[in-house]
Amino acid sequence: MNKLVDMLKLLRYLLPSVILCLCANFVWAHGPAHEYIARLTKKIEKEPENASLYLARGGYFKEDGNFDKSFADYHKARALDPSLVTLDFLLAELFYDFEYYNSAIAAANTFQRQNINTAQCYLLKAKAFDKLFMADSAEYYSEAAYPHLKKYNTSYFVGTKVYVLFANKDNYKRASYWLDEGKKRMPHDLVIQEEYVHLAIKFEDYDKAIALCEEKIGSLKRKEYWYHLLAGAYSKAGNKQAAVQNLKLAESAINKLPRHHKSTSYIINLKKNILILQEQLN
């Protein structure tokens, strides 16, 4: 469903009448794609010159795993209405999903020249270059997307950090820069903070890892996981006493949880990890 919402957002650049047609079609999106394909096919039989119907059916063919029919419908839509300016991006997504990465980049380049939704275009190119093991290009386009983003999300900052390290596995400074940016834009995001802790530990910047854990612990109601994470940072830093102390705090926090929380797989696994670290410290 999220992919359909994203497609509608992209298509906001189309003519209003086209958007209305697509919205009407996407209302059906509550079951298997082949059912909607069948419905759209019947509508196309009645309105064979309606480009928006081919565009919508092409999207469902993609969801149904049929590259050839999706590709054909997209090109039919373009033949009927050359003003469908976002079609190059939809083609780029189609090529990417079916692992035609060079074709995805070519279609994205065409879309890029129209200066529409540059951020999404750059991010798709970054993904495609990454699949082609062209790490420098993946890093370049992911970073280039940043000024064009209208909304920020966790995956952007974490993903860009990954691209940076693929391009240069020793570039801690640049990788940490993107997690710092993520913290600025999304200060309450736990995933970005945790990724930063792991990154700092990986590069033996233990003071930073400890500071990040302590910073987050101070703002959380549920602290058990972060006490465990802090214990791991202290353990790596060689401070066994502080590591043991924080493991005890993690256990204490778990013991204060309601019974139904203690029985969750999350807490069960956390207790196992606490035990493993305790054994390593003994």
Side-chain angles (χ1 to χ4, degrees):
M1 190 66 185
N2 289 336
K3 289 185 178 180
L4 297 177
V5 172
D6 290 342
M7 187 181 290
L8 282 173
K9 288 178 180 178
L10 277 171
L11 293 169
R12 68 186 180 275
Y13 298 102
L14 301 180
L15 295 175
S17 60
V18 176
I19 295 175
L20 289 174
C21 290
L22 285 172
C23 287
N25 289 329
F26 287 138
V27 168
W28 296 336
H30 298 288
H34 61 84
E35 294 182 10
Y36 312 122
I37 290 169
R39 295 186 186 186
L40 284 164
T41 299
K42 290 181 180 179
K43 291 180 71 69
I44 286 171
E45 290 173 355
K46 296 177 181 178
E47 303 177 58
E49 303 302 310
N50 189 330
S52 68
L53 295 177
Y54 290 97
L55 195 66
R57 191 175 69 172
Y60 284 119
F61 274 131
K62 185 184 79 165
E63 295 299 314
D64 201 38
N66 194 324
F67 172 83
D68 290 337
K69 290 187 176 181
S70 179
F71 185 78
D73 270 1
Y74 283 160
H75 275 277
K76 180 66 175 179
R78 167 162 285 164
L80 290 170
D81 186 355
S83 70
L84 299 177
V85 292
T86 61
L87 190 50
D88 288 306
F89 187 84
L90 298 180
L91 284 167
E93 285 191 317
L94 176 65
F95 288 132
Y96 178 85
D97 286 353
F98 285 85
E99 302 182 4
Y100 301 130
Y101 301 123
N102 285 305
S103 295
I105 292 167
N109 285 338
T110 301
F111 179 71
Q112 182 179 331
R113 288 193 286 271
Q114 300 176 65
N115 293 318
I116 300 172
N117 209 330
T118 301
Q120 287 297 99
C121 180
Y122 284 173
L123 290 175
L124 189 140
K125 289 174 72 172
K127 291 195 302 180
F129 278 119
D130 179 54
K131 292 293 186 180
L132 292 169
F133 302 101
M134 300 175 67
D136 289 337
S137 294
E139 177 189 1
Y140 171 80
Y141 280 105
S142 188
E143 292 186 336
Y146 191 44
H148 302 281
L149 291 174
K150 295 181 179 179
K151 292 184 178 180
Y152 304 101
N153 57 55
T154 304
S155 62
Y156 172 76
F157 296 104
V158 174
T160 303
K161 179 265 295 183
V162 171
Y163 291 143
V164 167
L165 293 179
F166 281 163
N168 181 351
K169 63 183 178 63
D170 297 319
N171 198 350
Y172 174 54
K173 182 177 180 181
R174 191 63 181 171
S176 60
Y177 166 82
W178 284 108
L179 295 181
D180 275 323
E181 286 297 298
K183 278 170 51 62
K184 291 176 186 176
R185 301 291 186 177
M186 306 173 69
H188 304 296
D189 191 288
L190 290 175
V191 174
I192 291 173
Q193 191 91 354
E194 183 181 355
E195 285 285 333
Y196 206 164
V197 172
H198 290 307
L199 180 71
I201 290 174
K202 177 181 178 180
F203 284 90
E204 301 181 0
D205 188 358
Y206 301 124
D207 288 342
K208 182 65 175 181
I210 290 166
L212 287 165
C213 289
E214 291 177 338
E215 175 187 62
K216 188 53 64 178
I217 286 171
S219 65
L220 293 174
K221 292 182 178 179
R222 291 280 300 270
K223 305 174 187 289
E224 62 275 2
Y225 175 77
W226 284 85
Y227 279 134
H228 169 256
L229 199 60
L230 179 55
Y234 273 121
S235 175
K236 291 289 186 180
N239 190 336
K240 180 179 177 180
Q241 182 178 355
V244 171
Q245 180 182 355
N246 277 281
L247 287 177
K248 289 179 179 178
L249 289 172
E251 288 183 317
S252 177
I254 290 173
N255 290 334
K256 293 177 182 178
L257 293 174
R259 182 178 300 175
H260 64 279
H261 284 175
K262 295 177 185 178
S263 62
T264 62
S265 59
Y266 166 73
I267 293 298
I268 291 170
N269 289 328
L270 179 57
K271 289 173 70 174
K272 289 180 180 177
N273 290 331
I274 289 171
L275 180 60
I276 290 171
L277 186 52
Q278 284 174 334
E279 292 174 347
Q280 292 173 350
L281 291 168
N282 289 335

